[in-house]
Amino acid sequence: MRLKRFREIFGIGLLSLSAVIVVLILCVIIFDITTKGSGVVSWEFLVDFPKEGMTRGGIFPAIIGTIFVTIITTIFSIPLGVSAAIYLSEYAKEGRLTRLIRTSIRNLAGVPSIVYGLFGVVLFVQGLHFGTSVLSAGLTLGLLTLPWIIATSEEALKTVPQSYREGALALGATKWQSIYSNVLPYALPGILTGSILGLSRAAGETAPILFTGVAFFLPKLPGSVFDQFMALPYHLYILSTQHHAIEQVRPLAYGTALVLVALVFMMNLTAIILRYKLRKKF
Amino acid sequence: MKELIYTSKITTKDLSLFYGEKQVLEKINLKIPQNRVTAIIGPSGCGKSSLLRCMNRLNELIPKSKIIGQILFDGRNIYTYDVDVVELRRKIGMVFQKPNPFPKSIYDNVAYGLRINGIRDKKKISKLVEKSLKDSGLWEEVKDRLNTSAMELSGGQQQRLCIARALAVEPEVILMDEPCSALDPASTLKIEELMKELKEQYTIILVTHNMQQAARVSDFTGFLYLGKLIEFDDTNLIFTRPKEKLTENYISGRFG
Amino acid sequence: MPTREFFRKYITELEQELISMGEMVNIAINRSVEALKSRNIEEAKKIIADDIHINKKRWDIEEKCISLIATQQPVATDLRDIVAILNIVTELERMGDHAEGIAKIIIILGDKPLIKPLIDIPRMTEKASDMLKRALEAFMKRDVETAREICNEDDDVDMLYDQIYRELLSFMVEDPKTISGATHLMWVAHNLERIADRVTNICERIVFLVTGTMEEINVSKY
């Protein structure tokens, strides 16, 4: 009896400890970045262009670039991904072909991001002649995000009770009508949350945009999708490792890191709030 | 044996149903009388719900389902290529075991069937919504809050909403798959009384595992056991002098 | 709390049929004694033939009761109601048989003059008939008080029967030739006494229906 009780306490203690350690790690990272970066972050930092070889100034173009490329990614990956998820969840008949499709998508999710980058070069930069541009980078990131969006959207669609579909069909709805009016609205919070989380990850990726369109310094903002762009993760990478005056720019690196983390957090927060609000409607 | 004489709204002819290899229904020959409540009873897993779902072809949602035989609706086989399934399902409505109001307002729930069938006239929709809610006995309770979410209603109210939703598209037959099994006794009673009122305009087929409910509510009862129709007769006769021993054993509670 | 309207309707209809059967029986009783008074053999034959209708009505009502029990699962007052109806129709059917019995005696007596004028027999009939009528009303109104009163009035009928019995006995002792006629009249009186007894049974059922307990209301003085 005492032994059972002891084992229970031990087990709970171990699990709690793991949770604490995880939170602790997160706190350490945030603490580190915040303390070393907050000194640098200011309004000017956010809206100014980099000056004097990046040793001073701001990271405005990097912020804009990241946002720009994420928008391209969104436009490409969300409609395609959600449609694929709807097909897999609602229309595909269980069989070898469907299993093959599903396995392929899962495998795609495991492909290293640098491979995506190289693939993007071959397909978008050279093959389709988009050149190194926001478009190429955005599409490459889109390919990266696609499996994630399909997986989470399918999950969201799976949570819709079968009775909603049947209820609509029993009233004389066609399959698409029942999906559009009953299934999608219910699955929307899940789909949106998954999508935003996927996109926030894409926003922070470096490898896929490396050869497909990002640049360390551009004198002006990209004027069209065919222009190159600056991006936060790449900017951070260069400042931390490649810059000729690494010691001097370290604070700027931390500042960039802080902004990037803040951006990702904001996107995640948006996802959470959206899901909460939409859930309440149902 | 006295032949039951009545107009048959739905007739099954040697109906057999398979889910893959498994046979669920075996040569069912059933004549569902028009404007009456017909109950289908039997132990769990005997195929009652499957039989019901054959009638509005909802069984087709189950992968690998196969039908042999015919189901005649007003004399025409519904399992032929030229039957418009969508229109069939409008004429043969269904109420499910667990109330499943859509996550929309009460008004939109009832109007749903109308809208997807192409009715746009707001006045017409409004009239039909009111009529359906009145016919299902829910109007008085919700007339002041038609725009609130249907999810806020109680279980019994939700089920009556589902009935109103089915009534709105003006069906001829209403299939009820254990409609009261998730409800409390007071709501169950309300819906049983409702069934008796509805039969004047509609033909009602009720599947229930609650024998007493079948006895209270129905005019005709069919007893299904392991996929076979054992007996079908006037409810009074089934419950006072059933012809088959198996029927007698089941309704006396000796098994099932 | 929703009411089971359809169920209520069935029970009310059944009660109406019970009353209607009771009226049929009451008419048969009065007809039979009228026919005895007027020595109307044709009428007696009709009464015997009409008893079939009373019997049919009884089976009709019984079937409906059984149906109701099987399909509606009545409990408490509803159940006692239906059980009371089942019992009362049995009593009524027997009362109909008693009236038929009187009619048969009329035929047997034929043209032979009665050994004494009918005075107490009509009085018994009037009393029994009135008791039945009021019992049926008490059933519809669920009137326990009246039911108990009617039970006590059975004593009056018993008294009249004793009177007739003693009178006819004295006739038979004096003149053995009157035995046949006297015994026939005694049977008529006996039938009427049984009819009144059965009315008390009906009244006991009414009390049971309302209170839920079976009471022996009128214990015989013997």
Side-chain angles (χ1 to χ4, degrees):
Chain A
M1 200 60 218
R2 295 261 303 275
L3 182 63
K4 219 163 95 171
R5 189 94 182 98
F6 172 72
R7 266 197 247 156
E8 188 179 347
I9 297 178
F10 184 69
I12 294 178
L14 210 60
L15 293 170
S16 313
L17 193 63
S18 332
V20 168
I21 290 178
V22 169
V23 174
L24 215 59
I25 295 175
L26 183 65
C27 288
V28 165
I29 296 176
I30 295 184
F31 184 69
D32 189 43
I33 298 180
T34 316
T35 44
K36 297 206 181 114
S38 57
V40 174
V41 173
S42 63
W43 180 246
E44 287 76 34
F45 187 67
L46 292 174
V47 301
D48 266 350
F49 272 70
K51 301 186 177 93
E52 293 174 32
M54 231 61 66
T55 54
R56 279 188 34 221
I59 52 170
F60 182 62
I63 298 177
I64 296 296
T66 299
I67 293 177
F68 200 178
V69 80
T70 310
I71 291 177
I72 302 290
T73 310
T74 311
I75 296 175
F76 172 67
S77 59
I78 292 197
L80 196 60
V82 175
S83 308
I86 293 177
Y87 170 75
L88 280 175
S89 163
E90 307 292 322
Y91 286 93
K93 291 200 189 357
E94 287 303 318
R96 242 187 275 162
L97 181 62
T98 314
R99 276 203 296 275
L100 186 65
I101 294 177
R102 281 226 174 83
T103 331
S104 310
I105 294 176
R106 300 281 181 271
N107 285 335
L108 226 59
V111 169
S113 51
I114 185 69
V115 175
Y116 274 108
L118 293 173
F119 180 74
V121 171
V122 171
L123 179 60
F124 299 120
V125 176
Q126 297 173 345
L128 291 176
H129 299 296
F130 291 151
T132 49
S133 59
V134 186
L135 187 60
S136 300
L139 290 173
T140 311
L141 280 175
L143 286 181
L144 178 76
T145 329
L146 208 53
W148 170 267
I149 291 185
I150 296 177
T152 49
S153 301
E154 227 195 317
E155 279 307 308
L157 288 165
K158 275 211 198 110
T159 64
V160 178
Q162 186 68 351
S163 60
Y164 283 4
R165 297 179 182 88
E166 290 184 345
L169 289 174
L171 286 167
T174 61
K175 187 156 187 167
W176 172 243
Q177 277 175 323
S178 74
I179 295 173
Y180 182 75
S181 63
N182 281 11
V183 175
L184 273 183
Y186 190 85
L188 205 59
I191 293 177
L192 270 179
T193 322
S195 304
I196 294 180
L197 285 176
L199 289 171
S200 75
R201 266 190 57 217
E205 285 286 338
T206 317
I209 60 177
L210 219 44
F211 312 115
T212 49
V214 76
F216 178 52
F217 176 72
L218 293 169
K220 45 186 184 143
L221 296 175
S224 79
V225 295
F226 291 104
D227 292 337
Q228 285 193 299
F229 64 104
M230 288 171 69
L232 287 169
Y234 184 62
H235 199 80
L236 175 59
Y237 166 61
I238 298 291
L239 283 182
S240 317
T241 57
Q242 308 291 332
H243 200 265
H244 57 268
I246 283 187
E247 293 300 321
Q248 196 184 5
V249 297
R250 180 153 297 143
L252 290 173
Y254 271 104
T256 311
L258 185 59
V259 171
L260 179 58
V261 165
L263 188 69
V264 168
F265 270 22
M266 269 192 337
M267 285 178 80
N268 290 352
L269 197 66
T270 315
I272 294 175
I273 293 177
L274 248 174
R275 179 173 63 190
Y276 179 69
K277 281 221 147 110
L278 285 174
R279 267 282 137 71
K280 272 181 72 177
K281 245 180 76 178
F282 300 135
Chain B
M1 184 182 89
K2 194 175 92 173
E3 260 292 311
L4 295 167
I5 315 261
Y6 49 76
T7 316
S8 171
K9 188 76 179 165
I10 294 185
T11 308
T12 71
K13 278 188 184 281
D14 284 340
L15 180 71
S16 296
L17 173 67
F18 295 83
Y19 289 151
E21 291 300 316
K22 184 165 169 241
Q23 182 160 25
V24 178
L25 293 173
E26 205 179 308
K27 290 230 173 110
I28 307 279
N29 280 294
L30 196 59
K31 290 206 189 103
I32 306 286
Q34 190 164 358
N35 290 122
R36 293 285 181 274
V37 178
T38 301
I40 308 285
I41 60 173
S44 303
C46 66
K48 329 189 272 291
S49 286
S50 306
L51 175 60
L52 207 67
R53 280 155 169 260
C54 287
M55 294 183 186
N56 66 350
R57 288 177 67 165
L58 259 194
N59 60 317
E60 289 169 2
L61 291 182
I62 312 243
K64 297 207 191 122
S65 71
K66 196 171 76 146
I67 292 268
I68 299 180
Q70 299 184 331
I71 297 188
L72 305 179
F73 175 47
D74 279 341
R76 301 211 345 266
N77 187 8
I78 64 174
Y79 278 96
T80 53
Y81 289 109
D82 57 353
V83 164
D84 179 2
V85 176
V86 164
E87 181 62 13
L88 176 74
R89 291 191 184 138
R90 189 190 63 73
K91 288 205 190 127
I92 303 183
M94 191 164 203
V95 176
F96 297 84
Q97 183 170 348
K98 194 163 166 302
N100 62 344
F102 300 145
K104 302 177 201 283
S105 71
I106 295 173
Y107 186 89
D108 286 334
N109 260 277
V110 183
Y112 180 80
L114 299 168
R115 290 192 179 124
I116 56 166
N117 275 302
I119 299 182
R120 298 260 167 261
D121 182 347
K122 286 211 175 116
K123 279 212 203 100
K124 189 165 176 202
I125 294 181
S126 189
K127 256 178 56 182
L128 278 170
V129 166
E130 185 176 331
K131 178 174 183 295
S132 310
L133 284 170
K134 280 189 175 146
D135 284 347
S136 70
L138 196 57
W139 176 252
E140 287 302 316
E141 292 167 52
V142 302
K143 64 184 179 193
D144 299 322
R145 45 176 177 143
L146 291 175
N147 285 313
T148 60
S149 168
M151 312 302 270
E152 289 171 20
L153 296 173
S154 76
Q157 288 172 321
Q158 283 185 358
Q159 193 63 302
R160 276 179 288 150
L161 177 66
C162 293
I163 294 176
R165 193 173 66 190
L167 291 178
V169 294
E170 295 173 309
E172 295 169 33
V173 178
I174 304 178
L175 307 173
M176 297 198 167
D177 191 352
E178 306 204 29
C180 302
S181 60
L183 304 178
D184 61 278
S187 306
T188 300
L189 203 51
K190 276 206 184 108
I191 292 188
E192 288 181 10
E193 294 293 300
L194 185 60
M195 282 188 228
K196 290 188 205 166
E197 286 166 32
L198 288 175
K199 76 180 181 196
E200 289 181 34
Q201 282 187 281
Y202 310 93
T203 300
I204 301 196
I205 308 177
L206 165 73
V207 156
T208 178
H209 64 260
N210 181 344
M211 277 186 291
Q212 286 75 33
Q213 176 175 84
R216 280 194 295 270
V217 149
S218 67
D219 303 300
F220 291 87
T221 301
F223 171 51
L224 217 60
Y225 182 64
L226 296 180
K228 293 208 252 296
L229 183 66
I230 307 290
E231 197 173 340
F232 180 80
D233 211 337
D234 189 300
T235 297
N236 270 326
L237 294 176
I238 292 268
F239 284 92
T240 53
R241 14 180 206 283
K243 295 195 184 82
E244 300 290 328
K245 197 85 182 88
L246 202 56
T247 314
E248 165 130 16
N249 287 343
Y250 177 67
I251 60 179
S252 315
R254 292 200 189 107
F255 72 88
Chain C
M1 188 66 206
T3 54
R4 292 169 67 179
E5 272 183 48
F6 291 91
F7 177 44
R8 301 257 109 252
K9 219 176 59 155
Y10 291 147
I11 296 198
T12 312
E13 277 172 14
L14 256 186
E15 290 174 356
Q16 294 294 352
E17 293 207 42
L18 180 74
I19 301 296
S20 141
M21 183 182 172
E23 282 163 7
M24 282 165 79
V25 169
N26 217 342
I27 290 173
I29 296 171
N30 283 297
R31 274 172 79 191
S32 64
V33 174
E34 282 307 311
L36 179 64
K37 279 198 261 188
S38 55
R39 316 303 303 281
N40 187 342
I41 299 187
E42 281 311 309
E43 177 70 351
K45 287 195 183 141
K46 275 206 218 107
I47 294 169
I48 294 172
D50 287 344
D51 188 56
I52 294 180
H53 299 301
I54 293 180
N55 291 347
K56 182 168 177 308
K57 192 112 182 130
R58 179 257 181 113
W59 292 123
D60 238 359
I61 295 177
E62 263 209 30
E63 271 234 25
K64 291 193 175 122
C65 286
I66 294 176
S67 231
L68 265 187
I69 294 177
T71 61
Q72 299 299 325
Q73 304 98 40
V75 291
T77 313
D78 291 335
L79 181 60
R80 293 202 304 274
D81 202 344
I82 297 178
V83 168
I85 293 176
L86 276 175
N87 276 290
I88 294 175
V89 292
T90 309
E91 300 287 352
L92 285 176
E93 194 259 333
R94 302 266 160 77
M95 284 158 70
D97 285 346
H98 288 307
E100 194 196 4
I102 296 175
K104 286 190 184 148
I105 292 174
I106 297 173
I107 296 178
I108 294 176
L109 283 175
D111 290 332
K112 279 190 273 168
L114 298 175
I115 61 170
K116 75 177 253 343
L118 296 172
I119 307 173
D120 289 326
I121 283 180
R123 274 202 211 130
M124 277 180 87
T125 313
E126 218 188 288
K127 190 76 201 161
S129 173
D130 181 59
M131 279 167 71
L132 174 58
K133 175 162 155 288
R134 283 159 53 218
L136 294 174
E137 278 167 13
F139 171 74
M140 282 311 274
K141 295 206 196 97
R142 307 288 194 265
D143 184 349
V144 172
E145 279 314 304
T146 309
R148 290 206 176 103
E149 273 172 36
I150 298 173
C151 282
N152 289 322
E153 287 168 25
D154 186 48
D155 286 343
D156 302 337
V157 178
D158 286 347
M159 262 181 8
L160 283 170
Y161 178 64
D162 284 347
Q163 231 172 279
I164 296 174
Y165 186 81
R166 271 181 267 122
E167 245 195 274
L168 291 173
L169 210 54
S170 61
F171 266 95
M172 288 194 275
V173 163
E174 258 179 67
D175 181 4
K177 278 202 288 284
T178 61
I179 289 181
S180 175
T183 43
H184 283 129
L185 282 180
M186 251 191 322
W187 269 115
V188 171
H190 178 79
N191 273 320
L192 287 167
E193 191 263 330
R194 293 303 299 139
I195 287 174
D197 252 352
R198 294 201 184 275
V199 175
T200 56
N201 288 346
I202 293 177
C203 291
E204 279 168 3
R205 280 293 161 187
I206 296 173
V207 174
F208 165 71
L209 164 59
V210 174
T211 66
T213 47
M214 274 304 289
E215 285 178 31
E216 286 275 1
I217 300 180
N218 190 15
V219 185
S220 154
K221 60 183 184 287
Y222 296 111

